[in-house]
Amino acid sequence: MSDIVYIRELEINTVIGIYDWERKIRQTVSLDLDMATDIGAAAAGEDIEQTLNYKAVSKRLIAYIEAAEFLLIETMAEKVAELVLAEFPTPWIRLRVGKPGAVTGAKDVGVIIERGERPPRLPM
């Protein structure tokens, strides 16, 4: 397996941050996901049930993150990776969680993590 299904710049509003004022507002976080999968069966049969459905992943993450509250984006990243690996057919995920506007002068700041077992021949 060397295929990746991806989602780019999924924007979700949530409570995130360590400062008191951040705990009282909703801020936008931005996610990029790369998820290992095998698209062969889906491509051959034109069958969405045979692939990793990026719409289903997106909807699940939107519901989860909108309902959650985190102090750190590091915690959010870990919990999102755990959720995706547990609920969707992928053995590996690379996840970027960004907090646009959190640092004056920077367009975005955040973390990038990889979790699960990276399949051979997966692009870096």
Side-chain angles (χ1 to χ4, degrees), residues 44-57:
E46 296 265 11
D47 183 2
I48 190 69
E49 298 300 321
Q50 298 295 315
T51 193
L52 181 56
N53 184 331
Y54 50 77
K55 184 173 184 176
V57 173

Side-chain angles (χ1 to χ4, degrees), residues 1 5 7 10 33-38 48-64 79-93 115-116:
M1 168 184 7
V5 168
I7 301 168
L10 180 62
L33 296 90
D34 293 331
M35 300 165 287
T37 192
D38 183 347
I48 190 69
E49 298 300 321
Q50 298 295 315
T51 193
L52 181 56
N53 184 331
Y54 50 77
K55 184 173 184 176
V57 173
S58 298
K59 287 176 72 171
R60 179 66 175 104
L61 293 181
I62 291 166
Y64 174 71
K79 296 299 183 184
V80 166
E82 289 172 8
L83 182 149
V84 172
L85 290 170
E87 295 185 16
F88 295 95
T90 181
W92 172 86
I93 181 174
R115 296 295 180 266

